[in-house]
Amino acid sequence: MEQISRRGFITALAGLGVLPSFADAIGNMDGRVILQAMPGRQQLDPELPGPTALWTFNGGVPGPLLRVMQGERLELTFRNGIDQGSAVHWHGIRIDNAMDGVVGMTQPSVLPGESFDYSFVLPDAGTYWYHAHQHSSEQVGRGLYGILVVDEQVPPLVDNDIVLALDDWRLDQEGQIHESFGNLHDISHGGRTGNWLTVNGEGSKTIAVGNGERLRLRLINTANSLIMPLHLPDQPCWLMALDGMPLDQPVPAQTGITLGPGQRADLIMDCADMANPLALGFVERDELISLVSFVHDPSRDRQPHDDSPSPLPPNPVVRCDSSSDNSTPLIMQGGAMGDLQAAQYQGEMMAIRELVRHGKAWALNGVVDRTEKPLLTARRGSCQEIVIENRTAWPHAMHLHGHHFEVPASGWPGPALRDTVMLDPGDTLALRFRADNPGRWLLHCHMLEHQVGGMVTWIEVN
Ligand code: C2O
Ligand code: CU
């Protein structure tokens, strides 16, 4: 379902509060949404020899498109129908800690055949997603993810609102999921990158648009580890929000945008001239792999919008003032071509060679994996700064649960709020945030194989 009209949504929202799309959302008698992890098969690309066996939510990838009004509560039962323990994480939601889906930290594993009830309020409007958060590299890599859109009480006026979940898959000759999970080369290099790209679980999409139409595009990078440099059609286009959070001012975005794993971007694009089809796609070595083509449908032609879009209404995130109560350094080390000699793992100092034998390759502040003690303990409401230094030879996509942080402005007015930020080799970035959400929150690389390889820590707010 690639084209979704605003009106369609509003009618559907009046009913359940959540609209079935992608895979079907299943509601039970008392209005709870059922999200069931289960095996499924899907033709990921017409050029593949046949459907691919996947792990899905409700039978398809992406899982059901969950759509909730800002400020409302989502009530959902997760049922685990795969043969591994699992749990669901709601990426980017400033959520009640008990609902965060982190096995062993915020909840026990939901074992095969068991279920878990999630119930939480959505404080912020924007584009979010959900995914399995146990053995994430394998479970997300096999398809256990879906999109969560939180609608503004007064949404911007657009003619079409389009969700585009971009993913890559590592498939074998038969078009089946390559079984190379846990591969040490992936862990110590750039992660598990794939050989097939999909958009909303298909090889490509064609979307009919009229001259003058204004589109809202919600781009989500759901790949395990792939950084996506994206080419946008050459039309008037504005970056409206990053990781769900509105920018203070829309920023012209003609040249394209790069999304790291887990990141999202909301764009508004005016289709001023549909004489030729427009392509949105992935840029590889100066070549464009088209994922979405916008083609002219004269029946949709309309009077062009004559104003540029106003900023989206801000979300109720309380920012830091200029000073921080506390600054914590976080040094990333390890990986191929890195300088990590030894690090602490399960309480023991280990040489890198030995770490690798345990499938570990990365350290944060000299420690591999989540430690017993948090990286920092923040007083609730305090302003925290985490200064991350990437001393590795690889880019990383650091993700903080439960909060959005400011990163220094890079070309747009005012610092953007993000939940996932890219650091290139050699980069140092200060993340600043108001620690106002009590609980225990993960901070990890969203290149899921780097997470497996040790690049994960946590903070505590109380
Ligand atoms: Cu989207 Cu801890 O993950
Ligand atoms: Cu990483």
Side-chain angles (χ1 to χ4, degrees):
M1 176 172 192
E2 69 269 31
Q3 294 167 58
I4 309 155
S5 76
R6 206 61 249 160
R7 196 172 327 121
F9 272 126
I10 288 158
T11 1
L13 278 168
L16 250 185
V18 173
L19 180 80
S21 175
F22 301 137
D24 289 333
I26 307 165
N28 70 1
M29 308 273 281
D30 55 7
R32 291 187 78 82
V33 176
I34 307 288
L35 197 62
Q36 179 152 3
M38 55 166 84
R41 295 172 74 73
Q42 187 162 315
Q43 187 80 32
L44 293 175
D45 191 294
E47 283 175 36
L48 286 165
T52 303
L54 301 168
W55 292 350
T56 73
F57 285 118
N58 296 8
V61 173
L65 174 60
L66 304 179
R67 218 159 171 147
V68 187
M69 189 63 73
Q70 179 173 17
E72 281 184 0
R73 180 174 285 276
L74 180 59
E75 304 262 8
L76 180 143
T77 296
F78 166 59
R79 290 188 188 147
N80 187 1
I82 61 166
D83 59 12
Q84 289 185 355
S86 191
V88 186
H89 170 57
W90 310 90
H91 183 120
I93 305 299
R94 295 188 301 132
I95 203 167
D96 173 357
N97 191 242
M99 299 288 122
D100 198 39
V102 179
V103 171
M105 197 160 95
T106 67
Q107 69 164 89
S109 177
V110 184
L111 297 175
E114 292 188 347
S115 62
F116 186 90
D117 288 347
Y118 290 97
S119 167
F120 51 91
V121 170
L122 286 303
D124 302 312
T127 304
Y128 302 94
W129 65 303
Y130 57 93
H131 59 80
H133 210 294
Q134 188 173 10
H135 308 300
S136 318
S137 164
E138 177 172 10
Q139 293 189 8
V140 177
R142 291 187 189 273
L144 281 175
Y145 69 84
I147 308 307
L148 170 56
V149 168
V150 183
D151 280 299
E152 297 87 7
Q153 299 284 347
V154 183
L157 260 185
V158 294
D159 302 301
N160 206 345
D161 185 327
I162 299 164
V163 174
L164 299 170
L166 310 173
D167 202 357
D168 78 328
W169 304 85
R170 185 181 292 178
L171 304 180
D172 64 17
Q173 298 282 314
E174 278 77 54
Q176 298 305 313
I177 298 286
H178 205 288
E179 294 292 333
S180 49
F181 292 103
N183 175 298
L184 256 177
H185 187 275
D186 293 339
I187 288 174
S188 57
H189 291 69
R192 178 186 172 91
T193 47
N195 48 3
W196 290 86
L197 290 166
T198 57
V199 48
N200 298 351
E202 297 175 59
S204 61
K205 289 235 146 266
T206 301
I207 296 175
V209 296
N211 277 322
E213 269 197 89
R214 172 167 282 183
L215 312 181
R216 179 175 188 166
L217 304 177
R218 301 173 186 267
L219 304 177
I220 305 117
N221 179 347
T222 63
N224 276 36
S225 281
L226 184 70
I227 299 167
M228 298 185 179
L230 300 171
H231 164 87
L232 304 172
D234 186 15
Q235 299 290 307
C237 187
W238 295 266
L239 181 60
M240 304 301 293
L242 287 167
D243 298 349
M245 294 293 167
L247 300 181
D248 294 350
Q249 289 298 324
V251 176
Q254 266 99 340
T255 49
I257 188 168
T258 296
L259 291 183
Q263 293 186 322
R264 290 89 65 212
D266 281 52
L267 302 165
I268 283 187
M269 181 172 85
D270 280 349
C271 298
D273 171 17
M274 291 303 302
N276 296 303
L278 307 173
L280 184 154
F282 180 83
V283 184
E284 190 172 51
R285 289 186 212 91
D286 289 336
E287 273 198 49
L288 177 67
I289 303 171
S290 176
L291 294 172
V292 182
S293 60
F294 299 92
V295 296
H296 189 206
D297 174 358
S299 74
R300 297 182 68 100
D301 285 359
R302 54 154 293 150
Q303 206 60 354
H305 298 251
D306 48 14
D307 52 336
S308 54
S310 321
L312 297 170
N315 283 324
V317 177
V318 182
R319 297 193 184 225
C320 281
D321 37 37
S322 54
S323 66
S324 304
D325 297 308
N326 191 31
S327 179
T328 309
L330 187 67
I331 296 175
M332 320 173 85
Q333 282 180 292
M337 295 171 288
D339 64 355
L340 185 69
Q341 306 291 322
Q344 192 181 321
Y345 175 55
Q346 296 185 333
E348 256 182 76
M349 266 320 265
M350 278 189 197
I352 183 76
R353 269 217 242 82
E354 208 184 329
L355 288 172
V356 165
R357 271 201 293 277
H358 287 85
K360 301 294 171 182
W362 306 95
L364 295 173
N365 288 355
V367 185
V368 174
D369 276 359
R370 177 162 31 113
T371 44
E372 218 167 288
K373 283 218 196 91
L375 171 72
L376 67 93
T377 302
R379 186 172 39 80
R380 187 173 178 183
S382 63
C383 178
Q384 297 291 323
E385 178 180 71
I386 302 177
V387 183
I388 309 184
E389 189 184 333
N390 180 3
R391 287 198 200 152
T392 79
W394 301 88
H396 300 284
M398 291 302 282
H399 171 50
L400 176 63
H401 286 215
H403 296 78
H404 281 244
F405 48 80
E406 288 181 9
V407 288
S410 38
W412 47 75
L417 285 166
R418 305 213 68 151
D419 58 50
T420 308
V421 69
M422 293 285 307
L423 287 100
D424 280 327
D427 277 1
T428 299
L429 261 188
L431 321 186
R432 302 182 76 237
F433 59 99
R434 175 97 38 204
D436 54 4
N437 197 359
R440 310 166 92 199
W441 304 106
L442 274 195
L443 170 61
H444 64 88
C445 183
H446 219 285
M447 293 168 165
L448 300 176
E449 292 68 37
H450 291 177
Q451 184 186 356
V452 172
M455 203 167 248
V456 45
T457 184
W458 62 289
I459 69 165
E460 185 161 37
V461 180
N462 45 36

